[in-house]
Structures are given as C-alpha cells and as structure tokens.
Amino acid sequence: MGNSKYDREGGIHRVPIWRIGGFALNNTATNIWLLLMSFIAYYINGWVGLGVVLAGSFSMIMRIWDGVTDPFVGYLLDKTNGRLGKNRPFMVIGNIVLAFCAFLMIFVTPVIPAGALRVGWFIAVNCIYYLGYTCQCVVTKAAQTCLTNDPKQRPLFSVFDAIYNLILFSGGQMFIAGLAKKYGGFTKDIMLYKELWMIVASVSAVFTVIAVISIWPKDQEKYYGTGQAIRVTFRDYFETIRHNRAIQMLVLAASTDKLGASAKTAAVTTIMFGVVAGNYALSGTFSLYTAIGNIIFIFLGLGYIATKFGQRRAMVTSSWLALFGNIALIALWMLGDPRTLNLPGNKGFVGFSFFTVALLVLTIFTGGFQNVAGSIVIPMTADCADFETYRTGKYVPGLMGTLFSFVDKLVSSFAPFIASICLASIGFKDVMPDVDTPYSLKLKVVGVFLMYGLIVFGLICNLIAMKFYPLTAEKMEEVRRQIAQIKEEKKTVQAGS
C-alpha cells in the first residue's frame, strides 16, 4: 500500500470526491469571466468606438494573444515548486489580474479621450487581462495529474465541471437577459457592464478560494510525475507536438469543438431568440429549462461511460449522439415555426407548441452529450501528460496544458471573426443585431449556421481524431504502472545512497 491516505497499489493515487468538485470551481472561476467577455463585442462597438468587423477582429487578435502567452506561462509553471506548491500561486495571481484588468476596461475606458488613445488603452489592458486568464486557466489542466490518476476518479472532474458550466451559462444567460431588459439592450447603458463586473469579480474570487483549498494537500512534489528532476526547455514543445500522437489528436478534436462553441456569441443568441423567435427574454428561461435535462445526460456520458469504459469511449459516443442532435436542430429551426416558441413563466404562454417541445427535447439531448465531448478533454489532457511522462520520462503538465490551449485558442480565435464576417455579409457592418432588429431570412440562416453549423464540423473532427487517439483504458493502465515503477526505482536508489 502507499504511504498516505491518498495512495493505492499499482501507482494509483486518489482524492476525496469533494476535493475534485471543489477544484473544478477553478475552471468555473475563469468561465464566469468568459461569460462577461462574450459580450465584449457589444462593449467595443458601443464604448470603445470600433465597427462590427473590427470588433470581431479585435476579439480574434486577443484570443490569439491569449494562446501565444500560454507556452510561456506553462514553462513558468513547470519550473515552479515553492512553499505554496506548483499550482496555487498561479490560481491566486491569475484571478487578481483578471478582476483588476476587467475593472480598468469597464470603468476607466469610457473616461479616456475617444479615438486612438482609447483604443490603445483598451488593447493594452486586454493584453494584461489575458495573461491573468492564462495563469489561472493553465492550472485547470496541469493540476489534473496531481489531483488523481485513478481512472474511476479522473472523469469525475468533468462531471462537476460540466454541471457547474451548465448552471453558470444557463443561469447567467437568464440573469443577463434580465439586465438587457432592464437597460434596454447591450449598447444603451454602460451600467449593465459595471453591474456585471461587480457580480463576476465577487463570485470568481469565492470560487478561486474554494479551488485553492481543495487542491492544497495534493499540490506537492510527491504527486508530480516521476519525482525526478527533469530539465525542460522550449524545444520540448516542438518535440512533444511532433511525437505525442495523443495530444495531437486531442487538440484537433477540442479546438474544432471550441470553434463551434465560441461562434455562439451573445449576438447569435440575440438573433435566434430576440429576432427569429421574437422574444429575447425566452433565452434565459429556455436555458434554465434545458439545464436540468442536460445534467442527466452528463451523468450518463461521464458518470457511467467514461468511468466504466474510458474517456476515449465517452468522447466517441457523445460526439456521435451530439452530431445527430445538431443536424436535427438545424432542420427544426429552418423548417419549423420559431415564433410559436414559448414557455411557462413567460408572457402570453397558452400551451406547448410542437416547435417548443421539439426544441426542448433536442436541446436537452444534444446539449448534454455536447457538454460531455467538451468537458472530457480536460482530464484527457492529464492522460496525455501522463503519456508524455511514460514516453520521455519528463513530467511537464504546464507544457502539455498550455500546448493544448495554444492550438485550441488559435483555432477558436477565428469564431468571433467568422461571426462578424457572416453578419457583415448581410448588412451588419457598423452595428450589431440587437433585440429590436427586424427579422429577415438571411439573419435566420446566419444565426442557425453560427449556432449549430460550426458545431457539426467540430463533432465530425472529434470522430476523425479519436480514430487515431492511442490512449485507450488498457493503454492508460500500462502508463500508470510504468510511472509507478520509475518512482519506486528512484526511492530504492535514494534509500541505498
């Protein structure tokens, strides 16, 4: 047996379930900032002074910058091993930087003289903001390896993460829909963004504290890789991407998924519910209704398939089911009558229409399995890091996590740009569609494409990538035993010296 309450035979180390749930809030702490920033194109358009295409281009450039900083932050994390551990300092510093820079963007930007000075200020603060975002985000993937390597436990992170994100984005959408109604849309009153900042900064800080407490006993050297001091250089990034087939395939799957998910901007939600369905307030209510059903499918996909048959199987199964669901949703929006969409709790509800029932059922089914495919990549990244240790003897979770994030963000950065180009092509060059924009078929087609079309592309890429992904449940058992053997050999050498 191991020498602590967390250790088991065969190189397995575990952790109490509540710590997995608590640490998953680190990702929620950054995702709540992501929710706020999903409305940044409106803010840029209304208060920074850029047009629709330039606003979309700005978001793309900042996302690329975010990806470029990843390898440097990952390199620093791999070199860090102080009294406060490897991961905790990055969580705390990252969250502080996020809150401070978002404050500067929202509260200070409007008082800067309009023109080049205001735009330059906003860009500079954004660059620092994304450094903080990278610092906290890299830990979500890197710390997976020291949190647990038990194949029955590792997927549980994704269960918690997916549920938290459903609650966050569904509840957040409902809350923001209320704010939009309160302030008359997204471009009329800056108090909407100030109120959002105060809520996001407070909630994110609380989540970060819980996550730090949860990872504390596992954020120590005995759970890092092989326990051997390994020199890591930037050359290792190129060697890893060239030779680690697992991370290559996972990056392909996750980045194309993220491209589709990132295309669902606030403007797309506004188009689909505010313009096509004719009632933006429904977006919040609809998210709340579908969230509970999504959780059931998350438990099925992650809580059962992933823990019983492995994470690769969970990715393949959920991608197939989500693919069929998204194709059905495209057909429903194009052939059905979105104007009949209504739900209990909304004004004018007189009963369920066919469109409402079909949309609810398909969204619950599709969203649940889509969340499985999106969330499982985080613990799969930890498998890739373990595989790199098995393959080369080097424990580089920061390198692995940020290498993954770099390509992921590089590809997904094109989502807001694609959205802005699509909107500009149908006449929205200077202003974004808002809740009072008149309906048109062109706007509906663009909305459906951005809501579901790019996701279909991402899910097809998932299935192709998993054909060549080598880390089956059996292979991961071999990886864990090899790493455990290396650790034991090191202990024997140290005992004899």
Side-chain angles (χ1 to χ4, degrees), residues 80-152:
T80 300
N81 188 20
R83 289 190 303 110
L84 294 177
K86 179 182 287 289
N87 299 288
R88 285 167 285 163
F90 287 84
M91 298 164 72
V92 174
I93 291 170
N95 198 255
I96 292 171
V97 171
L98 281 169
F100 180 65
C101 288
F103 176 87
L104 294 179
M105 282 190 280
I106 292 171
F107 286 81
V108 178
T109 297
V111 303
I112 304 292
L117 185 61
R118 181 181 293 182
V119 173
W121 157 267
F122 194 79
I123 290 172
V125 174
N126 252 266
C127 288
I128 302 170
Y129 169 92
Y130 278 111
L131 279 172
Y133 185 78
T134 298
C135 282
Q136 188 162 7
C137 278
V138 68
V139 174
T140 296
K141 298 180 180 70
Q144 292 287 321
T145 55
C146 63
L147 184 65
T148 179
N149 67 353
D150 187 334
K152 301 296 184 185

Side-chain angles (χ1 to χ4, degrees), residues 210-256:
I210 295 172
V212 167
I213 293 170
S214 299
I215 194 67
W216 199 291
K218 298 302 295 290
D219 191 20
Q220 53 178 299
E221 193 170 5
K222 67 177 294 186
Y223 298 110
Y224 297 160
T226 63
Q228 296 177 336
I230 300 293
R231 182 172 178 269
V232 180
T233 66
F234 279 108
R235 183 179 178 181
D236 290 306
Y237 282 89
F238 300 102
E239 292 299 315
T240 297
I241 199 65
R242 282 179 58 197
H243 301 295
N244 190 315
R245 176 57 62 86
I247 197 66
Q248 290 172 359
M249 294 300 100
L250 189 62
V251 164
L252 172 62
S255 60
T256 50

Side-chain angles (χ1 to χ4, degrees), residues 1 10 17 25 48 76 88 96 100 106 111 136 162 213 254 260 278 299 334 369 378 385 391 459 463 474 481:
M1 294 295 289
I17 300 299
L25 286 172
V48 180
L76 290 175
R88 285 167 285 163
I96 292 171
F100 180 65
I106 292 171
V111 303
Q136 188 162 7
I213 293 170
F299 275 114
M334 294 306 300
F369 286 111
I378 296 177
R391 194 180 68 84
L459 292 168
L463 296 169
E474 295 76 20
R481 291 190 177 277

Side-chain angles (χ1 to χ4, degrees), residues 49 51 63 104 117 127 173 191 267 289 295 320 333 336 345 370 384 419 427 440-441 465:
R63 186 76 174 167
L104 294 179
L117 185 61
C127 288
Q173 181 60 46
M191 281 303 300
Y289 271 83
I295 290 172
W320 270 116
W333 278 93
Q370 203 164 287
C384 293
S440 71
L441 179 59

